[in-house]
Amino acid sequence: MWVYSFMQNALFGGIIVATVCGIVSVFIILRRMGFAAHALGHMSLTGSCASALLGIPAIVGQLILNVVIAIVMGLMGDKIKKNDLSIGVVLTFVLGLGTYFLFLFQNNYAGSVMAILFGNIFAVSTTQIWQLLGLAIIILLIMIVISRPLIFASIDPVVAESRNVSVKLLSIIFFLVLAITVSMACQVVGALLVFVLLIIPGAIGIQWGESIYRIIAISVSVANLSLVVALHLSYYLDLPVSFCLTMLLCFTYSIGIVKLIVRNTK
Amino acid sequence: MIICKNLELGYSCKNVTPAFDLEINDNQWIGIIGKNGTGKSTFLKTILGVIPIVRGDLTILGQRPGKCNNLISYIAQEREINLADRMSGTSLITSSFYGWKYGLPWIGKKLKNKVEELIELVGATNYAHQSFATLSGGQKKRIYLAQALVNQPQILLLDEPLADLDPHAKQHFIEALQKIHQHQKLGLMIISHDMHEIASHLDAFIHFSGNGVHYCPTIECVKEDTYVGL
């Protein structure tokens, strides 16, 4: 199956996205930003619909919209965690716009809506792979630079602030990283299922890892392994990749839950 | 170590204390006592520069508040620890090592040894490697103490560390403080409502009351300052 160029592109694109999501998802969980990540994923629907209407690549519209929203969320700092309502209101407003764009878009390109919502990894072009690789390198460089204060501020924000760690600046930078990651993941799993790669790998890492390095390593490995297996399943069983990936990750997560139940009952 | 001149504490439009003068020497161990709402925690947060000064001057280690926080460790009264379920107290201590510096956190042998030394110093060897989430309140407080010492601070600020602890856990915590006092040269400011339990290890006291903020060289002096909690 790897002789086909669309499968090779799917593999390369998928590995780039899974690696970045595996790293970022650990911090999403530690910083309790699940709802913000979920909202950014859904809002990228509006970005991609607007791009389609303007005739520009979907990732460009998603990036612009997500980055603007991420800066606003980052400026709100800790308040965003304590006030889900404000995210909900912004999400509703942006999704409302997205619905209208979708309506206009559907009239011209019927059928492509599914690709925005659920992603189409087999449609990833060589140009898109280079775009994804460029964005991944930017994210990895940012994460290397901010990793130490980000870990400190994520685990112990009060003491980090007392030690002159710029918690608000880190919040803005991390939201920007998240915005770019969401835009990348949408190319693979779509706007509706972006949560799959942004939450579950990190959650599995946390179930099994004892140190931050181990948690990240487990998260990245699980995301990549699931993606490769999902591509195989999709190819041989003729199933959607997003579906296979979701089921595999959820199944792996449930193993951790079962292990916990067994340990607690002993 | 800390010099206050005509200092008024409070929030943007509300004064918590009247103006006061204080001078705390290097490596002094100070107990801060007073009723709730008299400005004790506000004083520590002002030292850290988290809350701005209302009026007057405050100098810490020769610098303005917030400018030398890398030399100050603070154990907050309330804190939000976002450790993953299986992460240990050791992970918490390690994560704060030079946590304000950019770059990758490198956990070398030297750091590992230092963390182990601190864990031993606070008497947390038996449980520091266990999941932090499963530790008792007293055990967590001793991990916080080790975390506070990881960057060799010159001043340690403790905001009600004995609150919510049973007598046994309090005793262990005080013993850990005693050991720190013997092994390390640093100044300490501790807020507590159980000052009688720790008073013998302290050099002086600062009494926050409705009448103002007063420096008391002995615990008896605080009693004379009409503090009713002793």
Side-chain angles (χ1 to χ4, degrees):
Chain A
M1 67 186 225
W2 300 119
V3 292
Y4 298 111
S5 63
F6 72 89
M7 284 304 292
Q8 291 170 6
N9 286 354
L11 180 69
F12 292 139
I15 284 176
I16 294 168
V17 170
T19 304
V20 171
C21 286
I23 297 168
V24 173
S25 74
V26 173
F27 291 95
I28 291 173
I29 295 172
L30 281 181
R31 297 173 70 83
R32 299 179 189 178
M33 287 168 53
F35 187 48
H38 178 76
L40 273 172
H42 280 21
M43 285 189 258
S44 62
L45 170 76
T46 306
S48 51
C49 289
S51 302
L53 281 174
L54 296 169
I56 54 172
I59 198 165
V60 176
Q62 287 173 341
L63 270 175
I64 294 170
L65 186 73
N66 283 354
V67 162
V68 171
I69 293 166
I71 291 171
V72 174
M73 284 181 171
L75 282 170
M76 289 174 77
D78 250 12
K79 285 177 204 156
I80 205 106
K81 279 190 264 178
K82 291 167 191 157
N83 190 4
D84 285 350
L85 185 66
S86 52
I87 302 179
V89 171
V90 177
L91 172 64
T92 314
F93 171 72
V94 178
L95 270 185
L97 283 178
T99 312
Y100 180 61
F101 293 158
L102 204 61
F103 165 74
L104 296 173
F105 175 50
Q106 244 180 327
N107 292 343
N108 295 317
Y109 306 92
S112 301
V113 176
M114 290 292 278
I116 293 176
L117 289 174
F118 299 103
N120 188 0
I121 195 169
F122 297 121
V124 173
S125 65
T126 313
T127 318
Q128 275 179 301
I129 288 182
W130 285 112
Q131 286 171 354
L132 289 175
L133 188 65
L135 291 172
I137 291 170
I138 293 171
I139 289 178
L140 291 178
L141 285 176
I142 294 173
M143 289 303 283
I144 286 171
V145 172
I146 66 168
S147 62
R148 188 170 5 207
L150 185 69
I151 291 169
F152 188 22
S154 302
I155 290 177
D156 199 350
V158 175
V159 171
E161 195 174 16
S162 78
R163 290 283 180 93
N164 281 356
V165 173
S166 182
V167 176
K168 190 164 256 183
L169 178 67
L170 279 174
S171 170
I172 295 169
I173 295 172
F174 187 69
F175 264 109
L176 284 172
V177 165
L178 181 60
I180 300 171
T181 311
V182 165
S183 307
M184 288 170 71
C186 278
Q187 313 301 306
V188 178
V189 285
L192 277 185
L193 288 174
V194 71
F195 213 47
V196 174
L197 275 177
L198 283 172
I199 295 292
I200 305 185
I204 294 167
I206 279 171
Q207 278 178 330
W208 298 90
E210 283 149 3
S211 69
I212 193 84
Y213 282 123
R214 262 189 220 167
I215 291 172
I216 291 173
I218 292 168
S219 175
V220 171
S221 310
V222 164
N224 277 296
L225 224 99
S226 305
L227 184 104
V228 174
V229 176
L231 282 175
H232 277 89
L233 290 175
S234 170
Y235 182 81
Y236 290 111
L237 303 176
D238 197 21
L239 292 168
V241 181
S242 306
F243 165 74
C244 296
L245 186 63
T246 311
M247 290 305 119
L248 279 167
L249 284 169
C250 288
F251 176 71
T252 316
Y253 181 72
S254 63
I255 293 172
I257 299 278
V258 171
K259 189 199 81 173
L260 194 72
I261 293 168
V262 170
R263 199 177 65 186
N264 289 344
T265 48
K266 269 183 184 174
Chain B
M1 183 170 80
I2 294 172
I3 300 167
C4 311
K5 280 183 185 164
N6 215 20
L7 182 67
E8 285 179 43
L9 305 174
Y11 297 88
S12 50
C13 52
K14 191 190 165 205
N15 269 30
V16 177
T17 66
F20 63 93
D21 295 316
L22 271 180
E23 192 163 342
I24 300 162
N25 297 328
D26 286 351
N27 306 327
Q28 249 191 320
W29 280 45
I30 302 287
I32 300 176
I33 48 183
K35 289 179 185 170
N36 289 335
T38 48
K40 304 183 299 296
S41 298
T42 310
F43 184 41
L44 297 195
K45 287 177 185 167
T46 308
I47 289 171
L48 290 165
V50 176
I51 296 175
I53 293 168
V54 174
R55 216 164 285 125
D57 283 318
L58 175 61
T59 315
I60 305 111
L61 301 169
Q63 297 188 62
R64 305 286 301 155
K67 299 290 176 196
C68 55
N69 283 12
N70 298 341
L71 301 172
I72 304 173
S73 273
Y74 170 59
I75 299 185
Q77 192 177 353
E78 288 172 17
R79 52 202 294 184
E80 170 201 349
I81 302 288
N82 299 325
L83 277 177
D85 290 347
R86 288 168 61 92
M87 283 173 89
S88 62
T90 313
S91 299
L92 176 68
I93 300 166
T94 314
S95 72
S96 56
F97 184 73
Y98 288 116
W100 60 88
K101 283 190 176 175
Y102 285 93
L104 277 174
W106 182 248
I107 305 162
K109 204 177 170 185
K110 203 175 160 189
L111 171 61
K112 276 185 184 168
N113 290 341
K114 190 181 167 83
V115 169
E116 290 302 327
E117 271 174 34
L118 289 173
I119 287 169
E120 202 185 323
L121 181 68
V122 299
T125 315
N126 292 338
Y127 51 81
H129 299 285
Q130 286 175 23
S131 161
F132 185 77
T134 61
L135 302 183
S136 70
Q139 290 171 330
K140 282 181 182 172
K141 292 260 167 97
R142 277 192 273 169
I143 295 289
Y144 294 151
L145 201 52
Q147 182 206 20
L149 297 171
V150 79
N151 295 308
Q152 291 177 315
Q154 290 188 26
I155 303 174
L156 194 55
L157 306 177
L158 311 180
D159 195 348
E160 295 200 34
L162 302 177
D164 309 324
L165 296 186
D166 61 42
H168 189 67
K170 269 182 199 171
Q171 191 50 42
H172 278 298
F173 190 86
I174 292 166
E175 280 168 15
L177 282 180
Q178 265 179 289
K179 272 180 93 176
I180 293 166
H181 206 358
Q182 288 161 2
H183 289 86
Q184 298 201 7
K185 269 194 172 180
L186 53 81
L188 176 131
M189 297 180 86
I190 179 171
I191 297 176
S192 180
H193 290 290
D194 304 299
M195 203 54 80
H196 54 283
E197 291 174 349
I198 194 173
S200 59
H201 307 292
L202 301 173
D203 301 315
F205 304 86
I206 299 171
H207 182 205
F208 282 72
S209 71
N211 301 327
V213 180
H214 302 118
Y215 182 87
C216 306
T218 62
I219 195 82
E220 284 70 29
C221 169
V222 179
K223 287 176 189 169
E224 285 163 17
D225 201 26
T226 66
Y227 180 62
V228 290
L230 291 163

